[in-house]
Amino acid sequence: MNTSIEVEYWVIDTDGELTSPGALAEISDQTEREFVEPLFELKTPPCETIDELQRTFVVELDDVLSRARRVDKRLVPLGTPINSDEIERRPDERGRIQKEVVGENFDYAKYCAGTHIHVEKRNVTDQLNTLIALDAALALVNSSPYFQGERIASSARAYCYRKKSYEEFPKHGQLWHYVESVGEWHRRLENRYDEFKQAALEEGIDESEVEEHFSPDDVVWTPIRLREAMPTVEWRSPDAALPSQLLRLADELQSVMEQLHHTTVEIERDSDPRNTGHVTSDGISLPEFDTACDLAETAMHDGLDSTEVTRYLDRMGFSVDDYHPISTRIDGRQFVPKSDARDLRLEYASLLEEDVDRLVQSLEV
């Protein structure tokens, strides 16, 4: 099954200050700048196996780090920059329209760095529903509990998107209910597009501008998306994290996605929330939607500190004990000043470089 990864990393200078990626974004077709100045994105092409995905991702990232060393820049695997000066959005008409429609809260997104995992479309309805049920797996790689120094959730990034950026447009940024068909999903997208267009018109934005920069396929931030152009089902909830963590997550997620094509997928009814959801050789059982939402909410707030979440993810096929989220390592304070945030960015830039070195060595064995 073809699988690919997109990950955003903060770019810093040798003092730990956020800076532009510059030439790092021009290394290959897989590297590019993001919508805010200090973010860099690395994308892999679709890979048929996890081994191929790992090799492609690691080789490309190693090339980026080599270039970064030559220009005194480093990459940071954190979901937010912990605490920083104001981050500027790059000039962009799409972003301008979103800001006018969504409002000031849209600025929360400027402080977020995440990971998107794409899996090849097959049994799409089952894939959508299973990814919705698995959204709590974001807890496995939570990498920053802080937004502008304040401790807000184990995944501050998920909190910023779901509770702040799209607070006034919850259907554009929250988990969607399970679906009966792909057609139902597309109808929801059309409805969200119409809602956004109407809100834009009320803000005085020309309809032609909205239609030029948005479509039903890309008007929402929902954690699960169908991508027609690629074509894939995309899971967008995880934070940016260490490469080894993301590769492990992609591997285990792909295993579940592969299994659902060879078994039955059912949604449990009236099940005990403490023991719901299973991935076994006999089939895949998904919790009721409200339970899946509660688990995702707990994963966002408490991460792997929640016994309920860890037991659920274990039942759903994840080797929870193999994950050591960055958030659990740096959590514990209610406020982190900018000077300490710079030190944390430098520390985790070093850990990312060491992580990639180990992954490169494993490729050579």
Side-chain angles (χ1 to χ4, degrees), residues 187-201:
R187 287 192 294 275
R188 292 179 188 176
L189 285 172
E190 292 286 351
N191 290 337
R192 301 295 80 76
Y193 179 66
D194 291 342
E195 289 170 359
F196 185 84
K197 184 187 291 186
Q198 181 58 40
L201 293 175

Side-chain angles (χ1 to χ4, degrees), residues 35 89 92-103 106 166 169 172 189-201 203 205-222 225 227 236:
F35 74 103
R89 184 183 290 109
D92 173 68
E93 278 301 292
R94 178 181 166 89
R96 180 189 65 80
I97 294 170
Q98 284 180 299
K99 174 71 176 290
E100 290 191 33
V101 173
V102 177
F106 186 62
Y166 290 92
F169 291 83
H172 286 249
L189 285 172
E190 292 286 351
N191 290 337
R192 301 295 80 76
Y193 179 66
D194 291 342
E195 289 170 359
F196 185 84
K197 184 187 291 186
Q198 181 58 40
L201 293 175
E203 293 296 328
I205 300 168
D206 289 341
E207 184 174 0
S208 60
E209 288 187 86
V210 178
E211 293 174 348
E212 179 182 355
H213 296 287
F214 296 89
S215 70
D217 186 46
D218 62 13
V219 77
V220 296
W221 183 88
T222 48
R225 284 177 60 179
R227 304 303 298 268
R236 303 162 57 86

Side-chain angles (χ1 to χ4, degrees), residues 58 356-365:
V58 171
V356 173
D357 284 344
R358 284 191 294 270
L359 289 169
V360 169
Q361 291 172 14
S362 72
L363 296 179
E364 296 172 350
V365 173

Side-chain angles (χ1 to χ4, degrees), residues 38 47 110 142 151 164 213 217 224 227 238 254 269 293 297 325 348 364:
C47 297
K110 297 191 301 183
N142 287 351
R151 202 278 179 195
K164 294 297 184 179
H213 296 287
D217 186 46
I224 316 299
R227 304 303 298 268
Q254 193 247 35
R269 306 297 180 187
C293 284
E297 183 91 357
Y348 278 88
E364 296 172 350

Side-chain angles (χ1 to χ4, degrees), residues 15 30 60 108 134 206 218 257 291 295 347:
D15 294 323
Q30 273 65 61
E60 189 75 33
Y108 279 90
L134 291 179
D206 289 341
D218 62 13
M257 291 290 101
T291 300
L295 287 162
E347 177 183 352

